[in-house]
Amino acid sequence: MNCQGHATATLKMAFMSSVVMFVGGCERKTNEAIRIGELNSYTGPLAGFTEPYKQGWQLAIEEVNTSGGVRGGRKIEAVSRDDGGQPSSAVTVARELVTREKVVVLMGTYLSNVGLAVSNYAQQAKIPFLAAEPLSDAMTGERKNEFTYRLRPNTTMQATMLAEEAAKLPAKRWATVAPNYEYGQSAVAAFKRELTKRRPDVLWIGEQWPPLFKIDGAAVVQALAKTKPDAIFNVTFSSDLAQFVREGDRRGLFTHTAVVSLLSGEPEYLNPLGADAPRGWIVTGYPVLEITDSVHAAFVQAYQKRWNAPPGIGALVGYIAARSMAAALDRAKSLTSEDIAHAFSELRVSTPVGQIVYRASDHQATLGTFVGKTDLRNGRGVMIDWHYADGALFLPPEGKSARH
Amino acid sequence: MNAAQMIGGLASGASLFVMAAGLTLIFGVGRIVNFAHGAFVMVGSYIAWSIAQHFSSSLGASLFGLVGSFVVMAILGTLVEVVVLKPIYKRAQLMPLLVTFGVALAVQDMTRLIWGADDLLIPADRYLSGSIVVGGARIPVTDVVTISIAGMIGSAIWWLLHRTRAGLLVRATSENPETAAILGVNQRRIRTVVFAAATGLAGLSGALEVLRGRPASLSIEQSVLTLAFVIVVAGGLGSVLGTAVAAVLLGVLNTFLIMHWPTASLVLPVLLMGTVLVVRPQGLFGRAIAEVSETQSHHEDKRGIVPKGWRWCLATVAGVMIIGFASGEYGSLLATDVLIFGIYVAGLDLVVREAGVMTFGQALYFGLGAYGTALAVHVFQWPFSAAIFAGCVLSLIGAFTLGYIATRRVGVAGAMLSLALAELIWAITFQWNAVTGGDNGVSGIWPTGALARPRPFLLCIGIVSAIVLGVLAYLRGTVLGYAFRSVRDSSRRAAALGIDAGIVRWMATIVGGLVAGLAGTLYAFSRGTVDESVMAVSLSIQGLLMMLLGGRSANAGPLIGAGLLIVMQHELSVLSNYWHLVLGLLVLMQIIVMPKIAKAFGTRIPLRIRARRLS
């Protein structure tokens, strides 16, 4: 190496060592506040959903702290990180939160694969983890562990809710379209199973599996139309959903076909469609502005006041997750990992949509979702004829799913 | 397939053509693989959305949207070319690639800063949303418009290239830059103009998508990039006609195939590219690419013999370990990561810099190692060392077989082939739920016993990396090492000496693959979960980035580069959610500015001091 090479190398080593020593050597102040480690996909294409989610949990923590905190006056402090949208980076971030930031619990994640990786880490590191958004059944099924609890109603629960409504339709010939990864595959499998249970006469005549975020809307719509379905079960979301809806409209796919669609009633997916929102689709979602319950209205008001925008489902989930965390911290006998994890078992939390319970058997919360039909009002998509489907009714009884 | 489907497929192909045309032009003239292409398309779509907000009619919105996107992006392209690319044309072949990668990172976050994170759709009355009924089939207006626009653009490009003097100069530069320069063609200006036009075209394609009703979305960048590469490579790098044919082929095939094979969309692009490359390495209409190494290997690529290197190796490994131990539990975890990636990059360095094999598929072997280990633990419950062995064996098998295929072609074609193979295996891993767990991956891969704590694990990794780096250093001084370098510097001369370049490159790939696989096995144990992202192309690019950031040293470089990138990523992501932007800018700064600073400190200032002493 010549002089220039040496100089560059030395510069770099010096830079690196100084950063690492600074990083590692930094003492984290331990004050009275209880530290929660929060990680979610705050960069990349998912940021549209996770930013409101963050606002939801921030609101909840502010409310908890101003009304006296937990455990006799201690405040909660959230240390928030971007998990990079990938399992490996999420585990890296979780490790940092636990070893450097010294948090006592972990909370968050969005994608199922990320949630599962962090859940696995939580088991290894023996730290309680509340998975807020991930929907994979495996999280409370074959990959469940002592330290992980999950808030949102999982894929099977939601697919079952929709299957109940779908069974009431006269449709016999069904086609499915779902993004080609585990979430899409599980959703379709669960829906097929539950609908066939209720309507053995149903025929499955076609399926489409566009890659996530890469849908060729025209091709998919035309392939579906060829099979001439009576009804379609749709699992696509976000930009894929937008293209599916528009191409479908243009080619007349939906004129004589019923559509049952997972998650499409959520404001995050419905609002961007604007005046293109589909009509008459049976969906799960969140008719946030239509709910008249006073507790919910108070939540909407508080959120609106704090953030100048109405909450979506992400905000609601973030809010409930933080509330659950506070409740568990309050209930726990001590702040050891085992005690906090134990405090979640059969924990009851009051939420803007009713009371939920974290089941001891599978660590799944009984949070449900809203089921209804889509419609177009004032140039925007809304949900009509909706009702709240309690998660507890769509979970196997506790005795059956207990593993040990 | 009926008429409406045919036209739909053609429209799909037409939009793919517009999207990929810019990339092939840039490559043809500058021999640059532009990793920022997807980002440019994405920005174009957002610009079109913004423009459309100001118009109440679909015609106005469409027209101004397309033109506006083209103009704005062309200006942006000029800026990027002049500020970022010009300084590094003369440097190593890989630099423009990594620089454009840095640009892509920065642009992604800037887009989010300006337009927010939500998907933005143009309302239906602002784009041509109607359909015409022709003989019972409903054909959307936008399909017809897209095909027409693509046709017009294709014709315009052809006319500009073949019927104008400027086009003649562009083609001359594309065909043979050296001769063109000798004849007085102003290369710099041509490159700038072509890059600007190509970026404008990318923006226009983004606008076209939005005006067909798609949302402007942050996810466009990822979905566009691989697709554009595939089309450009399959059609022949630098050939606009090839791009058109490949694009239409892809669009029509996709429309047709998913009727009978619904999951085709995931593998089709890669299958197409891979098939074309194996049969006709220059692509459908590309010119036969001469072996690149002779004239294009730059000063930075050539590295002489590195004797006594193993001391530097051990010193750096020890240095990282000491810093790790001293910095607490978290510091130990960080140091472990640095060492693991140091091993990975050392293998890559051997393949790319010692043997001159350009590859975008190194992460494939890394992933195979990781999966081998994961499955050994998950399915057979093997202990730590046995699982590591299993992972290494799997990556060795992969390097042996896939490495053979990848090294059948050289230069950029070889790099693209390695990319295609990596993508193919990735797609299989992604889909094969029963074995690999699909995108959920395999969990529960944790070291047991004494190694479960961070510090002992760090010690173990430290010893392994010292051994591996030492062995590689030793290898560089052996006959094999000499063979690698001779093939890198001039394969013709090597052939004259009886050294078969193909075999030597294959052997380099095998060694590099095994080393990458070993890194992968250790990585699996450090994360506990193995999923498809361990063999994603982004990991290959990260490896290249680390290699380049680390500098020219073969011994300390890999560790330095790995350390720099890992530490930067960690600390930046803590500071801000826009850390991609900061990272991109830092990478650019590193590559463009740092050498100048180092040159000043390393060469100019000592020279001045010496001059002063003499006088």
Side-chain angles (χ1 to χ4, degrees), chain A residues 70-150:
Chain A
V70 293
R71 304 187 78 79
R74 291 180 71 172
K75 294 202 195 271
I76 300 180
E77 182 192 330
V79 183
S80 176
R81 295 273 184 270
D82 171 36
D83 67 12
Q86 300 241 352
S88 37
S89 48
V91 171
T92 310
V93 164
R95 284 187 330 189
E96 190 242 333
L97 285 170
V98 171
T99 56
R100 182 160 71 144
E101 300 288 342
K102 310 263 188 273
V103 300
V104 294
V105 285
L106 289 172
M107 177 176 106
T109 70
Y110 188 94
L111 295 172
S112 288
N113 56 356
V114 174
L116 284 168
V118 175
S119 158
N120 189 249
Y121 168 73
Q123 181 186 32
Q124 171 75 4
K126 296 201 183 0
I127 185 140
F129 168 50
L130 176 61
E133 295 263 10
L135 295 177
S136 170
D137 296 332
M139 200 144 217
T140 47
E142 69 250 20
R143 300 209 199 184
K144 113 176 210 275
N145 66 59
E146 183 197 336
F147 288 94
T148 302
Y149 286 80
R150 188 250 301 274

Side-chain angles (χ1 to χ4, degrees), chain B residues 86-415:
Chain B
K86 255 210 226 304
I88 53 148
Y89 272 127
K90 291 214 175 64
R91 294 171 55 184
Q93 236 183 332
L94 280 171
M95 290 298 186
L97 195 146
L98 294 179
V99 153
T100 52
F101 183 71
V103 170
L105 282 176
V107 168
Q108 247 261 350
D109 267 4
M110 283 205 288
T111 311
R112 188 156 66 96
L113 255 171
I114 300 174
W115 280 282
D118 292 319
D119 288 351
L120 301 172
L121 274 166
I122 294 190
D125 59 352
R126 303 264 176 89
Y127 72 96
L128 307 159
S129 51
S131 44
I132 47 180
V133 184
V134 174
R138 284 179 76 161
I139 299 178
V141 171
T142 50
D143 273 4
V144 176
V145 169
T146 307
I147 297 177
S148 325
I149 290 181
M152 284 195 289
I153 289 175
S155 319
I157 294 177
W158 184 88
W159 185 82
L160 280 168
L161 281 179
H162 292 266
R163 289 279 182 268
T164 64
R165 185 157 185 281
L168 182 66
L169 297 179
V170 170
R171 274 186 294 135
T173 312
S174 182
E175 219 166 294
N176 197 328
E178 289 83 11
T179 314
I182 294 173
L183 289 171
V185 175
N186 188 339
Q187 303 253 295
R188 283 161 143 209
R189 205 179 296 161
I190 297 227
R191 285 208 188 111
T192 312
V193 167
V194 170
F195 194 86
T199 309
L201 209 55
L204 191 142
S205 84
L208 190 59
E209 286 306 294
V210 159
L211 296 163
R212 292 175 72 196
R214 312 274 157 95
S217 161
L218 292 173
S219 60
I220 290 180
E221 193 212 347
Q222 299 165 334
S223 50
V224 159
L225 197 58
T226 338
L227 214 50
F229 272 172
V230 162
I231 293 170
V232 159
V233 169
L237 288 153
S239 161
V240 177
L241 177 61
T243 306
V245 169
V248 169
L249 202 62
L250 193 60
V252 170
L253 269 179
N254 188 49
T255 308
F256 177 66
L257 278 177
I258 61 170
M259 284 197 289
H260 309 285
W261 180 21
T263 49
S265 303
L266 198 65
V267 285
L268 183 61
V270 165
L271 264 180
L272 182 67
M273 176 165 83
T275 317
V276 170
L277 279 180
V278 170
V279 168
R280 200 181 146 87
Q282 63 266 38
L284 292 170
F285 287 87
R287 264 167 279 116
I289 301 174
E291 291 222 349
V292 196
S293 29
E294 283 14 295
T295 44
Q296 296 230 344
S297 136
H298 298 274
H299 174 59
E300 274 188 33
D301 289 340
K302 284 210 205 311
R303 186 205 292 144
I305 306 162
V306 190
K308 314 278 193 288
W310 57 272
R311 291 198 190 114
W312 262 108
C313 265
L314 287 181
T316 327
V317 171
V320 171
M321 278 173 66
I322 291 172
I323 297 175
F325 276 118
S327 311
E329 203 181 339
Y330 179 59
S332 302
L333 291 171
L334 210 57
T336 314
D337 275 357
V338 172
L339 289 172
I340 291 176
F341 278 96
I343 297 176
Y344 172 56
V345 175
L348 184 62
D349 180 280
L350 186 83
V351 173
V352 175
R353 280 192 164 153
E354 284 298 304
V357 179
M358 265 280 275
T359 171
F360 291 148
Q362 194 70 355
L364 169 60
Y365 309 117
F366 183 87
L368 283 175
Y371 268 102
T373 309
L375 290 173
V377 171
H378 185 75
V379 177
F380 303 113
Q381 271 88 50
W382 282 1
F384 184 73
S385 20
I388 302 257
F389 182 72
C392 288
V393 167
L394 188 61
S395 64
L396 191 63
I397 295 174
F400 197 80
T401 50
L402 301 165
Y404 181 77
I405 303 175
T407 50
R408 290 308 89 201
R409 305 288 174 230
V410 290
V412 180

